[in-house]
Amino acid sequence: MQKAIVAKVGDYQVRLCDRDDITAVIDINAETLPEHYSDYFYYEILTEFPETFLVAELDGSVVGYVMCRIEYGFSHLRRLGLARKGHVVSIAVREAHRGKGVGTLLMRTCQDAMLKKAATESYLEVRVSNTEAVALYQRLGYKVSGRLEAYYKDGEAALLMASQLGQ
Ligand code: ACO
Ligand code: ZN
């Protein structure tokens, strides 16, 4: 069956992740990020939140992914109150394919999908030293809403960044 393309930038295509893509997603995560998860974790997120798990491909090979969870809890944007939130758990693009708009397109497309799942805000954690990713999130309208000391295993702090959806 033809896999439905949901967005494009140049020759890159963004589409929903499929179970067959997970091994490529795990490879990309392993080569780009220090945070790894069990194989089971990826399959579980795909099963529970298939609409917000996307891959980018070029000529049939996967070069990037974004995986998210839809959660309900305290808002990161309002002082009080609960919100349905789209949590960007992990995003990565293979190094050779960066700077071409793929990361931006993955983020925008998953935000659209979060909106369709009735989320009103999106949030994520990012290493304080990850200036490239922080700049990308800022361009997309994310603001720092907190700092989580020693969030990562190596002791580095995370910035909690959040953005309103649908504005
Ligand atoms: N043509 C050329 N350049 C472009 C285009 C375009 N069409 N669109 C955007 N750019 C530029 C942007 O201006 C930006 O430049 P700058 O940051 O130097 O100002 C740069 O390219 C990055 O934007 P994108 O191309 O959209 O993003 P990219 O595909 O490079 O992916 C990402 C960004 C995912 C952060 C990537 O760097 C990566 O995989 N890093 C390693 C993994 C990582 O750190 N992931 C985030 C961890 S936090 C988390 O997962 C919640
Ligand atoms: Zn997270």
Side-chain angles (χ1 to χ4, degrees):
M1 199 178 76
Q2 186 73 23
K3 293 172 179 175
I5 296 156
V6 292
K8 274 184 171 193
V9 58
D11 292 330
Y12 295 91
Q13 305 180 331
V14 168
R15 59 169 176 79
L16 291 175
C17 182
D18 194 83
R19 283 186 76 84
D20 299 343
D21 299 317
I22 294 291
T23 49
V25 169
I26 291 171
D27 280 353
I28 295 171
N29 170 269
E31 72 185 42
T32 57
L33 280 166
E35 286 68 53
H36 309 309
Y37 313 95
S38 66
D39 292 7
Y40 173 77
F41 182 77
Y42 295 90
Y43 288 105
E44 189 185 48
I45 294 212
L46 182 61
T47 302
E48 281 190 56
F49 309 103
E51 303 88 349
T52 51
F53 199 146
L54 307 168
V55 293
E57 65 180 1
L58 179 69
D59 301 331
S61 85
V62 175
V63 302
Y65 71 88
V66 61
M67 66 172 172
C68 312
R69 256 191 325 236
I70 305 291
E71 301 168 355
Y72 187 69
F74 287 108
S75 169
H76 296 298
L77 296 169
R78 287 175 288 119
R79 266 178 66 81
L80 293 170
L82 296 162
R84 214 168 135 83
K85 305 180 286 189
H87 178 179
V88 182
V89 175
S90 184
I91 177 171
V93 173
R94 281 198 211 269
E95 201 165 357
H97 302 276
R98 291 187 197 155
K100 298 188 158 84
V102 175
T104 303
L105 188 66
L106 283 168
M107 284 295 294
R108 285 195 196 284
T109 312
C110 84
Q111 291 182 153
D112 290 347
M114 288 170 182
L115 252 180
K116 285 196 187 128
K117 299 303 287 179
T120 55
E121 59 187 73
S122 170
Y123 82 97
L124 53 86
E125 300 93 9
V126 57
R127 284 179 181 267
V128 291
S129 64
N130 195 345
T131 46
E132 211 164 291
V134 170
L136 169 73
Y137 304 139
Q138 280 171 338
R139 278 197 303 276
L140 288 165
Y142 286 73
K143 302 254 181 336
V144 174
S145 66
R147 186 184 159 105
L148 310 166
E149 294 304 333
Y151 182 78
Y152 298 98
K153 277 200 187 120
D154 60 9
E156 189 170 342
L159 296 177
L160 182 71
M161 299 185 76
S163 174
Q164 197 77 38
L165 290 173
Q167 285 186 329

